[in-house]
Amino acid sequence: MAKRPRVTRPGAAKIADVARLAGVSVATVSRTLARPEVVIEETRTRVLAAVRETGYTPNISARNLRVRKTMVVLVAVPDIANTFFAEVLEGIDDTLSAAGYGLIIANLAGSPEKEARYVDLVCAGQVDGVLLLCGHVMRSPNRDLRDARVPLVAACEYISGESFPQVTIDNIGTASEAVRHLVELGHRSIAYLSGPKSNILEQQRFAGYRQALQGTGIAVDEGLILRGDFTFRTGVDAGRALLGLKPAARPTALFAANDEMAIGLIKTVHAAGLQVPKDLSVVGFDGIAYSNYCEPTLTTVVQPRRDLGATAAAELIALMTTGRAPIRKGTQLPAKLILRDSTCRPPA
Amino acid sequence: MAKRPRVTRPGAAKIADVARLAGVSVATVSRTLARPEVVIEETRTRVLAAVRETGYTPNISARNLRVRKTMVVLVAVPDIANTFFAEVLEGIDDTLSAAGYGLIIANLAGSPEKEARYVDLVCAGQVDGVLLLCGHVMRSPNRDLRDARVPLVAACEYISGESFPQVTIDNIGTASEAVRHLVELGHRSIAYLSGPKSNILEQQRFAGYRQALQGTGIAVDEGLILRGDFTFRTGVDAGRALLGLKPAARPTALFAANDEMAIGLIKTVHAAGLQVPKDLSVVGFDGIAYSNYCEPTLTTVVQPRRDLGATAAAELIALMTTGRAPIRKGTQLPAKLILRDSTCRPPA
DNA sequence: ATGCCGGATGTAATCGATTACATTTTCATC
DNA sequence: GATGAAAATGTAATCGATTACATCCGGCAT
């Protein structure tokens, strides 16, 4: 059998090859690429020609090793299959990739093992910054994201007691506005469909609900508070619970802590013959794409999803490049209540 | 002003520090971590203690530079906000991150600039492999993904004429099965709502539609072919077009090339007073989560989304680790027609 | 002519790991 | 106790870029 010949790696043109071909030193090549103005015209064209001819691209690992950067940021998402986050991700991706950063998406999916793996990744210096959409500072059994001296920015889900920049919307205010809309339509009996109690968004949206009622003197009725966990399925369950109430005790309107649950609930009560909005007005929260497809289309608080992502990404870039300097600690973007077909005046 | 003291970078414990503390050479430390069995018990515990004490984690850039690997794969998605791909991504993420790979998500979003940037990234050797969900081999003005000698695997959207592994479903067969279901219910006038003509999935699903009709002697009626581009909006438009037909010419059933369009169409015809499925049976394709939430729930071909992702990821891992050896060039996963509430016998 | 200045380029150290090869240690066997 | 093979460890080259510092050179003021 013939001796296997030492394979000359084909793709690999290194800086030394370019230097040799151009008849200059490696330093000159590097400078030509990094700061063209410090090298005279003639050398520059020679070097660039050599670069083209060899098809040279710098080895990023080597560069990273030298300059202690990775040009990668990690973004932690609770669940990538959730369309809300998908659109936030688009905004993040636009901004970050335009600035030359790569994106590692950490899909937490409720798995502590995954979370720990990603924490280790960050602590190992694999990334230049982290974007947290997950409502908490990621941890592993032995350590915490803060141990990695890496810039952090949170978005969408506020993380209380932290000093890094956060980009959110005014959940309390807009939730309150949504409920006020129902009150103004004339509703006096307004149910609330909650998220998981421990979730910060749930707490804020519920606070908005209470606040709106307070202003009008309507008491918060514990019997009108339905429990869910932000998923479609619990919306369906809540719909059944609502149908179980004696007709006299039934609310004429409902505010759901997010769209998915609202849609699940509507589907259920429809199947039982109750009409939305004629018999029951429903308001959601988030403004997911589907809220505009479902039947009836959903009155909801539309979050600026792309913008939330883009703004958070911009703050992170600022942090990463200027080293320090959080621009503002808490940025709030405007969210808007959009009136669609799921709300109307209560039956007379 | 006081001279700024040379800041001793805090996080950075390097292998030499560990070696010193443990009283061994750097080689031993490296070996202890990579192949513990070649180092004797006693040294090993000493080294591990030193690792713990210093909080050492290997610098990945340095390692990558040395071993010419990055442990990162790039996955190219047409549109990350599309829930179909989001779930495929979950499967990919599960498999890849369990094997220790990081994931860079290239959200093409129809932007050639972005695509070019990612091609350059890959050509620069930034990733160990690429997963293509985008139906074509990515290009930039000057080059093509094949120029980067990097393992490729395609999934979901078949790329014809290529020799790398591909993981898809049998689009023709299942589309045909879906239409056959309508025929078996007794429909004789079955419309087709298409995707963009140039798309391979569209071509295959349309082929399935024709094939099913051929078997039964029903002719393909050009007047019953509605054009769309896979988006909800064009589904709505197609619904209007359908309503514009004279009642006598209206089909009793429709097969849509994907779920989003089917749902848009149903919404439109409902608004006009047509009942689905009583007046019109509808079958979709993909089985997105929403197909089970909408009203009526959609009879559709459910693709094994997670599994498509996981399988493609596994093939890529095989390719990356064994160097060569495509296991099988074309893997087809089973997709299933799920009967729900949007189909029934035609009106008598 | 001399010296100095500054712009262009080159030399070589450096980033932090992996690993081929060299060296030392261990230990079974004669 | 000598011998050699195998096991454990150490030494130093290497991956491919960036960049501090050194060098060279031309021009200008004295």
Side-chain angles (χ1 to χ4, degrees), chain A residues 22 63 86 88 105 107 111-112 114 157 165 237 243 261 280 287 344:
Chain A
R63 170 184 304 172
V88 176
I105 296 192
N107 182 30
S111 152
K114 277 190 165 192
E157 309 211 1
D237 295 344
L243 291 168
M261 293 192 299
L280 180 74
C344 70

PDB file of all heavy atoms in Angstrom, chain A residues 22 63 86 88 105 107 111-112 114 157 165 237 243 261 280 287 344:
ATOM      1  N   ALA A  22       3.660  39.043  -1.249  1.00  0.00           N
ATOM      2  CA  ALA A  22       3.682  40.493  -1.477  1.00  0.00           C
ATOM      3  C   ALA A  22       5.064  41.070  -1.257  1.00  0.00           C
ATOM      4  O   ALA A  22       5.322  42.246  -1.523  1.00  0.00           O
ATOM      5  CB  ALA A  22       2.667  41.169  -0.561  1.00  0.00           C
ATOM      6  N   ARG A  63      -6.748  35.294  16.112  1.00  0.00           N
ATOM      7  CA  ARG A  63      -6.976  36.700  16.451  1.00  0.00           C
ATOM      8  C   ARG A  63      -7.596  36.835  17.833  1.00  0.00           C
ATOM      9  O   ARG A  63      -7.143  37.628  18.656  1.00  0.00           O
ATOM     10  CB  ARG A  63      -7.901  37.347  15.435  1.00  0.00           C
ATOM     11  CG  ARG A  63      -8.340  38.727  15.889  1.00  0.00           C
ATOM     12  CD  ARG A  63      -9.325  39.343  14.957  1.00  0.00           C
ATOM     13  NE  ARG A  63      -8.763  39.399  13.611  1.00  0.00           N
ATOM     14  CZ  ARG A  63      -9.461  39.756  12.547  1.00  0.00           C
ATOM     15  NH1 ARG A  63     -10.739  40.064  12.694  1.00  0.00           N
ATOM     16  NH2 ARG A  63      -8.909  39.799  11.368  1.00  0.00           N
ATOM     17  N   ALA A  86     -39.175  34.715  19.204  1.00  0.00           N
ATOM     18  CA  ALA A  86     -38.612  34.598  17.866  1.00  0.00           C
ATOM     19  C   ALA A  86     -38.488  35.981  17.232  1.00  0.00           C
ATOM     20  O   ALA A  86     -37.480  36.301  16.607  1.00  0.00           O
ATOM     21  CB  ALA A  86     -39.476  33.692  17.002  1.00  0.00           C
ATOM     22  N   VAL A  88     -38.381  38.921  18.835  1.00  0.00           N
ATOM     23  CA  VAL A  88     -37.386  39.701  19.573  1.00  0.00           C
ATOM     24  C   VAL A  88     -35.990  39.331  19.059  1.00  0.00           C
ATOM     25  O   VAL A  88     -35.141  40.194  18.839  1.00  0.00           O
ATOM     26  CB  VAL A  88     -37.478  39.434  21.087  1.00  0.00           C
ATOM     27  CG1 VAL A  88     -36.384  40.180  21.827  1.00  0.00           C
ATOM     28  CG2 VAL A  88     -38.843  39.830  21.612  1.00  0.00           C
ATOM     29  N   ILE A 105     -27.483  31.154  20.366  1.00  0.00           N
ATOM     30  CA  ILE A 105     -28.789  31.171  21.005  1.00  0.00           C
ATOM     31  C   ILE A 105     -28.875  30.056  22.023  1.00  0.00           C
ATOM     32  O   ILE A 105     -28.758  28.885  21.687  1.00  0.00           O
ATOM     33  CB  ILE A 105     -29.897  31.046  19.960  1.00  0.00           C
ATOM     34  CG1 ILE A 105     -29.823  32.291  19.064  1.00  0.00           C
ATOM     35  CG2 ILE A 105     -31.253  30.932  20.627  1.00  0.00           C
ATOM     36  CD1 ILE A 105     -30.996  32.491  18.169  1.00  0.00           C
ATOM     37  N   ASN A 107     -31.103  28.128  24.143  1.00  0.00           N
ATOM     38  CA  ASN A 107     -32.509  27.798  24.328  1.00  0.00           C
ATOM     39  C   ASN A 107     -32.647  27.058  25.656  1.00  0.00           C
ATOM     40  O   ASN A 107     -32.402  25.865  25.729  1.00  0.00           O
ATOM     41  CB  ASN A 107     -32.960  26.926  23.167  1.00  0.00           C
ATOM     42  CG  ASN A 107     -34.423  26.582  23.249  1.00  0.00           C
ATOM     43  OD1 ASN A 107     -35.214  27.356  23.770  1.00  0.00           O
ATOM     44  ND2 ASN A 107     -34.759  25.416  22.752  1.00  0.00           N
ATOM     45  N   SER A 111     -34.451  23.608  31.121  1.00  0.00           N
ATOM     46  CA  SER A 111     -33.511  22.562  31.502  1.00  0.00           C
ATOM     47  C   SER A 111     -32.306  23.140  32.245  1.00  0.00           C
ATOM     48  O   SER A 111     -31.508  23.858  31.672  1.00  0.00           O
ATOM     49  CB  SER A 111     -33.038  21.825  30.251  1.00  0.00           C
ATOM     50  OG  SER A 111     -31.744  21.300  30.451  1.00  0.00           O
ATOM     51  N   PRO A 112     -32.179  22.810  33.532  1.00  0.00           N
ATOM     52  CA  PRO A 112     -31.053  23.323  34.317  1.00  0.00           C
ATOM     53  C   PRO A 112     -29.706  22.846  33.776  1.00  0.00           C
ATOM     54  O   PRO A 112     -28.716  23.562  33.866  1.00  0.00           O
ATOM     55  CB  PRO A 112     -31.298  22.756  35.711  1.00  0.00           C
ATOM     56  CG  PRO A 112     -32.735  22.377  35.741  1.00  0.00           C
ATOM     57  CD  PRO A 112     -33.082  22.001  34.336  1.00  0.00           C
ATOM     58  N   LYS A 114     -28.884  22.331  30.608  1.00  0.00           N
ATOM     59  CA  LYS A 114     -28.522  23.208  29.504  1.00  0.00           C
ATOM     60  C   LYS A 114     -28.041  24.541  30.040  1.00  0.00           C
ATOM     61  O   LYS A 114     -27.018  25.070  29.613  1.00  0.00           O
ATOM     62  CB  LYS A 114     -29.748  23.452  28.618  1.00  0.00           C
ATOM     63  CG  LYS A 114     -30.011  22.378  27.613  1.00  0.00           C
ATOM     64  CD  LYS A 114     -31.085  22.876  26.648  1.00  0.00           C
ATOM     65  CE  LYS A 114     -31.147  22.018  25.407  1.00  0.00           C
ATOM     66  NZ  LYS A 114     -31.957  22.648  24.366  1.00  0.00           N
ATOM     67  N   GLU A 157     -38.056  40.530  30.002  1.00  0.00           N
ATOM     68  CA  GLU A 157     -38.421  40.190  31.369  1.00  0.00           C
ATOM     69  C   GLU A 157     -37.472  40.893  32.328  1.00  0.00           C
ATOM     70  O   GLU A 157     -36.274  40.629  32.360  1.00  0.00           O
ATOM     71  CB  GLU A 157     -38.333  38.675  31.571  1.00  0.00           C
ATOM     72  CG  GLU A 157     -39.088  37.903  30.512  1.00  0.00           C
ATOM     73  CD  GLU A 157     -39.659  36.597  31.040  1.00  0.00           C
ATOM     74  OE1 GLU A 157     -39.493  36.305  32.228  1.00  0.00           O
ATOM     75  OE2 GLU A 157     -40.289  35.881  30.237  1.00  0.00           O
ATOM     76  N   PRO A 165     -28.000  47.092  32.439  1.00  0.00           N
ATOM     77  CA  PRO A 165     -29.083  47.719  31.684  1.00  0.00           C
ATOM     78  C   PRO A 165     -30.215  46.733  31.411  1.00  0.00           C
ATOM     79  O   PRO A 165     -29.974  45.544  31.212  1.00  0.00           O
ATOM     80  CB  PRO A 165     -28.416  48.112  30.361  1.00  0.00           C
ATOM     81  CG  PRO A 165     -26.967  48.094  30.613  1.00  0.00           C
ATOM     82  CD  PRO A 165     -26.726  47.100  31.690  1.00  0.00           C
ATOM     83  N   ASP A 237     -58.170  25.499  29.697  1.00  0.00           N
ATOM     84  CA  ASP A 237     -58.661  25.124  31.026  1.00  0.00           C
ATOM     85  C   ASP A 237     -59.437  26.271  31.668  1.00  0.00           C
ATOM     86  O   ASP A 237     -60.511  26.070  32.242  1.00  0.00           O
ATOM     87  CB  ASP A 237     -57.489  24.748  31.939  1.00  0.00           C
ATOM     88  CG  ASP A 237     -56.776  23.503  31.428  1.00  0.00           C
ATOM     89  OD1 ASP A 237     -57.362  22.789  30.584  1.00  0.00           O
ATOM     90  OD2 ASP A 237     -55.636  23.266  31.861  1.00  0.00           O
ATOM     91  N   LEU A 243     -66.786  28.727  32.061  1.00  0.00           N
ATOM     92  CA  LEU A 243     -68.088  28.201  31.672  1.00  0.00           C
ATOM     93  C   LEU A 243     -68.786  27.545  32.861  1.00  0.00           C
ATOM     94  O   LEU A 243     -70.009  27.446  32.918  1.00  0.00           O
ATOM     95  CB  LEU A 243     -67.931  27.171  30.537  1.00  0.00           C
ATOM     96  CG  LEU A 243     -67.494  27.755  29.193  1.00  0.00           C
ATOM     97  CD1 LEU A 243     -67.094  26.641  28.226  1.00  0.00           C
ATOM     98  CD2 LEU A 243     -68.613  28.599  28.594  1.00  0.00           C
ATOM     99  N   MET A 261     -52.944  32.413  25.997  1.00  0.00           N
ATOM    100  CA  MET A 261     -54.013  31.976  26.890  1.00  0.00           C
ATOM    101  C   MET A 261     -55.342  32.557  26.440  1.00  0.00           C
ATOM    102  O   MET A 261     -56.372  31.875  26.467  1.00  0.00           O
ATOM    103  CB  MET A 261     -53.713  32.404  28.322  1.00  0.00           C
ATOM    104  CG  MET A 261     -52.519  31.695  28.930  1.00  0.00           C
ATOM    105  SD  MET A 261     -52.401  31.952  30.723  1.00  0.00           S
ATOM    106  CE  MET A 261     -52.213  33.725  30.808  1.00  0.00           C
ATOM    107  N   LEU A 280     -68.810  38.026  25.774  1.00  0.00           N
ATOM    108  CA  LEU A 280     -67.601  38.168  26.595  1.00  0.00           C
ATOM    109  C   LEU A 280     -66.545  38.932  25.794  1.00  0.00           C
ATOM    110  O   LEU A 280     -66.163  38.503  24.705  1.00  0.00           O
ATOM    111  CB  LEU A 280     -67.046  36.782  26.962  1.00  0.00           C
ATOM    112  CG  LEU A 280     -65.788  36.765  27.810  1.00  0.00           C
ATOM    113  CD1 LEU A 280     -66.096  37.151  29.257  1.00  0.00           C
ATOM    114  CD2 LEU A 280     -65.115  35.388  27.772  1.00  0.00           C
ATOM    115  N   GLY A 287     -49.330  40.824  21.660  1.00  0.00           N
ATOM    116  CA  GLY A 287     -49.445  41.150  20.243  1.00  0.00           C
ATOM    117  C   GLY A 287     -48.687  40.187  19.350  1.00  0.00           C
ATOM    118  O   GLY A 287     -48.089  40.593  18.358  1.00  0.00           O
ATOM    119  N   CYS A 344     -66.151  44.706  22.946  1.00  0.00           N
ATOM    120  CA  CYS A 344     -67.249  45.632  22.641  1.00  0.00           C
ATOM    121  C   CYS A 344     -67.969  45.970  23.943  1.00  0.00           C
ATOM    122  O   CYS A 344     -67.570  45.503  25.013  1.00  0.00           O
ATOM    123  CB  CYS A 344     -68.198  45.023  21.606  1.00  0.00           C
ATOM    124  SG  CYS A 344     -69.155  43.637  22.262  1.00  0.00           S
TER     125      CYS A 344
END
